[in-house]
């Protein structure tokens, strides 16, 4: 069910798009700068229909998926490890907290040297960008497991693996899922941005390529595609996230 | 149908009068971050008889919850020994159920799955699990909420879920740490009645920690009064209530006498605590 706020939000976005459309159609914005939103939709439809960019789209999605999975898996394991070592944690927690103040992206030359131009360098940057979100979410999740649930596990005479699987993991799940959501978002940004500079394929690369060749129509079609994919993925993850959060409320 | 397969609700359980749980010379110290040691509890010598409803009252911070943790095998005593059913307690023993003061319902499971949790872990078959869960959910008045998640329930309801979850396993010793602390007075009295009904049906031994003197006086066969920290027992009050009883005994002429005696002892201890707190200011 859509809430009243949901309708208002939809109305605001629709009005902005309509105003933008009008500005383009009546020539307030020159076509050489931006094409009208409806033209973007037509362009996106054509380039999907033609299959011209299929390989690039698949390459990007594959890299986003690989980066997210790596970031979530490695981030979770690192989080569990750091949580188990309180002294190490106290030492490196300030570093984790200020991690996103550093523009990780500037290290791209290092990755090109190490991995060469291609998927591996892209995935490395995307993982680097997204892993810390998963580490901090894992730490938060493990911190927030109520002590009484651990005591309850002992009353049920559960051993460590059973407790980890049946108590700790579900108790921390809502926080872990927030980490998954953030990791995906960062991985998506990391992959698209990396493709601009260190790739010969992918949606990011194609946007740069069409830009350099004055192919406005395709460029905006591809941009619309990125927005749609990000929005749909985020909405889906958000729905699961919200469901988990309401259960957590105590 | 009942929690326990055998037993007549109104007659005392078999083996009554035999020591069920025993603490001898139990003390517990905690290490403080400053390096000093905090003497939280003891020395305590205590025998709880099989089928007894034993209440514990004491000023706040006197080590009541520590006593429960030691008895449940959750923490080991610094000195002394804990025995349950003729076995030395070194870890959580089989047959002990605990209802904690804090909300311990699993938020990711429905009420039904919460209640069934221990049964499934213990390997009960689906039919027996269903039978016991149905009974406990009904007994605790949770029928209308069986499919809901704890987040949708009030604090009192969640505590009922925890009680039901403990009871389905038919523990022989039930430890309750201020289980009704979050409830209003009327609900407390009614929950007390349900607890008594349950105690009669299961023939379990019960240790109830509470800060409400009337609750201790109404529910218990015997009430132990604890001193200010380090907590020791300074008095035991036998209530001599019939086994078949409920909250209506609060109007019994003897009820006032029992609570008065409890308060007389407790007042001195509570004043000590207030005195030390005032001294810190």
């Amino acid at each position: 069910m859509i809430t009243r706020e949901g309708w208002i939000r939809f109305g605001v976005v629709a009005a902005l798009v309509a105003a933008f459309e009008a500005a383009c159609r009546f020539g307030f914005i020159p076509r050489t700068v931006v094409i009208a939103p409806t033209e973007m939709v037509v362009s996106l439809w054509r380039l999907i229909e033609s299959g011209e960019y299929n390989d690039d789209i698949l390459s990007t999605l594959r890299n986003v998926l690989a980066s997210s999975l790596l970031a979530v898996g490695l981030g979770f394991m690192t989080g569990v490890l750091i949580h188990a070592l309180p002294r190490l944690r106290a030492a490196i927690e300030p570093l984790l907290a200020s991690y996103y103040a550093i523009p990780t992206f500037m290290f791209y030359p290092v990755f090109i040297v190490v991995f060469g131009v291609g998927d591996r360098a892209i995935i490395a940057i995307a993982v680097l960008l997204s892993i810390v979100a998963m580490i901090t979410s894992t730490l938060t999740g493990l911190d927030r497991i109520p002590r009484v649930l651990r005591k309850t596990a002992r009353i049920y005479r559960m051993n460590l693996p059973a407790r980890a699987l049946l108590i700790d993991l579900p108790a921390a799940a809502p926080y872990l899922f927030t980490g998954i959501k953030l990791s995906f978002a960062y991985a998506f940004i990391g992959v698209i941005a990396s493709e601009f500079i260190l790739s010969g394929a992918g949606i990011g690369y194609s946007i740069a390529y069409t830009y350099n060749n004055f192919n406005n129509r395709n460029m905006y079609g591809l941009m619309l595609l990125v927005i749609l994919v990000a929005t749909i993925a985020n909405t889906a993850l958000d729905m699961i996230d919200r469901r988990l959060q309401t259960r957590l409320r105590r | 149908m009942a929690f326990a397969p055998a037993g007549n609700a109104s007659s005392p359980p078999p083996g009554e009068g035999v020591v069920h749980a025993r603490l001898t010379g139990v003390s517990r110290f905690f290490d403080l971050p400053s390096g000093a040691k905090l003497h939280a509890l003891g020395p305590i010598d205590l025998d709880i008889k099989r089928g007894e409803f034993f209440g514990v009252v004491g000023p706040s911070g006197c080590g009541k919850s520590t006593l429960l943790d030691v008895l449940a095998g959750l923490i080991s005593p610094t000195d002394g020994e804990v025995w349950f059913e003729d076995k030395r307690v070194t870890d959580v023993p089989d047959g002990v159920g605990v209802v904690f003061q804090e909300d311990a319902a699993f938020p990711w499971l429905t009420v039904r799955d919460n209640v069934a949790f221990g049964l499934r872990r213990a390997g009960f078959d689906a039919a027996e699990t269903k039978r016991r869960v149905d009974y406990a959910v009904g007994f605790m008045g949770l029928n209308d909420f069986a499919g809901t998640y704890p987040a949708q329930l009030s604090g009192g309801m969640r505590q009922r879920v925890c009680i039901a979850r403990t009871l389905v396993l038919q523990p022989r010793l039930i430890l309750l740490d201020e289980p009704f602390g979050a409830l209003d007075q009327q609900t407390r009295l009614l929950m007390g009645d349900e607890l008594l009904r349950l105690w009669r049906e299961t023939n379990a031994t019960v240790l109830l920690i509470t800060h409400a003197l009337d609750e201790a006086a109404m529910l218990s066969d015997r009430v132990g009064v604890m001193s200010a920290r380090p907590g020791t027992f300074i008095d035991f009050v036998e209530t001599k209530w019939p086994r078949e009883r409920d909250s209506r005994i609060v109007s019994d002429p003897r009820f006032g006498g029992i609570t008065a005696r409890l308060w007389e002892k407790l007042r001195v201890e509570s004043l000590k605590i207030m005195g030390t707190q005032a001294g810190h200011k």
Side-chain angles (χ1 to χ4, degrees):
Chain A
M1 211 186 73
I2 299 170
T3 58
R4 184 183 291 258
E5 288 79 9
W7 283 114
I8 296 172
R9 188 159 47 237
F10 179 77
V12 169
V13 173
L16 285 174
V17 172
F20 192 33
E21 177 82 26
C24 293
R25 294 285 175 191
F26 292 115
F28 294 119
I29 301 173
R31 287 181 53 78
T32 45
V33 178
V34 187
I35 60 170
T38 45
E39 283 184 86
M40 293 182 196
V41 175
V42 173
S43 160
L44 173 59
W45 179 253
R46 287 218 182 110
L47 55 90
I48 287 174
E49 208 179 29
S50 71
E52 192 185 339
Y53 292 100
N54 277 4
D55 290 344
D56 293 302
I57 294 168
L58 281 177
S59 155
T60 298
L61 294 180
R62 209 168 39 231
N63 284 345
V64 171
L65 196 68
S67 314
S68 311
L69 289 177
L70 275 172
V72 166
L74 293 174
F76 175 72
M77 285 192 283
T78 313
V80 170
L81 188 75
I82 295 174
H83 191 265
L85 305 166
R87 188 156 292 176
L88 174 73
R89 180 182 176 173
I92 68 168
E93 199 143 49
L95 301 180
L96 292 176
S98 53
Y99 182 82
Y100 284 108
I102 298 166
T104 322
F105 222 79
M106 69 182 175
F107 296 118
Y108 85 87
V110 181
F111 289 101
I112 294 178
V113 172
V114 176
F115 295 111
V117 172
D119 289 344
R120 291 202 301 165
I122 293 173
I123 291 172
I125 283 201
V127 169
L128 202 66
L129 204 61
S130 50
I131 191 167
V132 173
M134 190 63 203
I135 295 174
T136 44
S137 296
T138 304
L139 288 172
T140 311
L142 294 176
D143 285 344
R144 298 286 170 87
I145 300 169
R147 278 165 56 97
V148 70
L149 295 189
R150 294 248 165 99
K151 269 185 168 183
T152 306
R154 286 200 55 201
I155 293 295
Y156 285 116
R157 314 207 295 169
M158 298 166 91
N159 55 20
L160 186 63
R163 193 196 81 186
L165 198 67
L166 297 171
I167 305 285
D168 294 355
L169 196 61
Y175 298 97
L176 298 180
F177 197 81
T178 304
I180 293 174
K181 205 178 81 174
L182 285 173
S183 292
F184 178 82
Y186 281 124
F188 199 63
I189 295 170
V191 167
I192 298 280
S194 306
E195 284 170 350
F196 275 98
I197 41 175
L198 39 86
S199 174
I203 301 175
Y205 165 78
S206 301
I207 291 174
Y209 186 83
T210 48
Y211 166 72
N212 289 328
N213 290 282
F214 306 102
N215 187 348
N216 261 11
R217 187 167 288 277
N218 282 4
M219 183 182 83
Y220 282 113
L222 289 165
M223 283 184 183
L224 182 63
L225 176 68
V226 172
I227 292 173
L228 286 179
V229 170
T231 308
I232 291 168
N234 196 58
T235 307
L237 291 171
D238 217 40
M239 266 165 58
I240 305 171
D241 194 21
R242 240 178 297 164
R243 191 164 302 177
L244 286 168
Q245 295 293 345
T246 46
R247 271 187 214 165
L248 182 85
R249 202 177 51 214
R250 289 159 81 86
Chain B
M1 202 151 37
F3 283 109
N8 179 341
S10 56
S11 68
E16 195 188 47
V18 177
V19 172
H20 201 189
R22 167 170 282 175
L23 286 83
T24 52
V26 165
S27 289
R28 174 70 202 198
F29 292 80
F30 288 105
D31 295 321
L32 294 175
S34 63
K37 284 200 184 297
L38 176 81
H39 189 181
L41 186 73
I44 282 183
D45 293 291
L46 176 70
D47 283 352
I48 302 172
K49 296 182 195 72
R50 192 179 283 274
E52 183 179 13
F53 199 124
F54 181 69
V56 178
V57 293
S60 50
C62 76
K64 297 188 291 281
S65 296
T66 307
L67 173 72
L68 181 139
D69 283 354
V70 167
L71 195 51
L74 287 168
I75 55 173
S76 50
T78 314
D79 293 310
E81 292 176 359
V82 183
W83 293 78
F84 173 63
E85 295 181 342
D86 300 326
K87 280 201 239 10
R88 178 98 185 260
V89 172
T90 50
D91 199 351
V92 178
D94 180 44
V96 172
V98 182
V99 178
F100 295 103
Q101 194 175 356
E102 306 94 326
D103 172 18
F106 300 137
W108 59 91
L109 296 179
T110 62
V111 167
R112 262 200 92 76
D113 289 336
N114 257 287
V115 177
F117 186 85
L119 294 168
R120 289 181 184 147
R121 287 242 357 119
F124 283 88
D125 64 52
E128 177 65 9
T129 301
K130 186 182 178 327
R131 188 189 73 78
R132 290 202 193 185
V133 170
D134 283 345
Y135 184 76
V137 166
F139 188 95
M140 281 289 139
L142 294 164
N143 269 334
D144 293 344
F145 305 98
T148 54
Y149 287 90
Q152 294 157 280
L153 302 177
S154 67
M157 289 288 219
R158 274 181 252 174
Q159 196 56 288
R160 286 189 202 195
V161 174
C162 294
I163 295 174
R165 193 174 68 187
T166 304
L167 300 178
V168 286
L169 287 166
Q170 300 177 356
R172 300 184 293 284
L173 174 62
I174 305 174
L175 309 172
L176 302 118
D177 190 357
E178 301 196 8
F180 311 140
L183 308 185
D184 61 82
Q185 183 68 18
Q186 297 91 306
T187 316
R188 289 172 81 108
L189 287 171
L190 295 175
M191 287 296 290
D193 283 346
E194 283 173 42
L195 187 58
L196 283 172
R197 187 156 64 95
L198 186 97
W199 165 67
R200 282 192 297 271
E201 273 193 16
T202 58
N203 292 334
T205 308
V206 172
L207 178 132
L208 171 78
I209 291 173
T210 175
H211 59 258
L213 299 181
D214 55 346
E215 198 169 274
M218 164 190 139
L219 298 172
S220 315
D221 292 321
R222 186 164 61 119
V223 184
V225 183
M226 285 178 82
S227 67
R229 196 177 63 220
T232 55
F233 283 104
I234 49 171
D235 195 14
F236 291 100
V237 181
E238 302 266 358
T239 59
K240 299 192 172 63
W241 298 125
R243 195 169 164 79
E244 193 72 48
R245 61 178 179 260
D246 62 32
S247 54
R248 282 170 294 183
I249 55 168
V250 295
S251 57
D252 189 293
R254 287 202 300 116
F255 183 80
I258 293 167
T259 46
R261 178 164 160 196
L262 293 176
W263 176 233
E264 191 188 324
K265 296 282 178 185
L266 201 56
R267 186 173 169 273
V268 179
E269 298 304 316
S270 301
L271 279 174
K272 278 186 202 163
I273 288 187
M274 290 188 70
T276 50
Q277 280 172 350
H280 282 304
K281 280 181 188 158

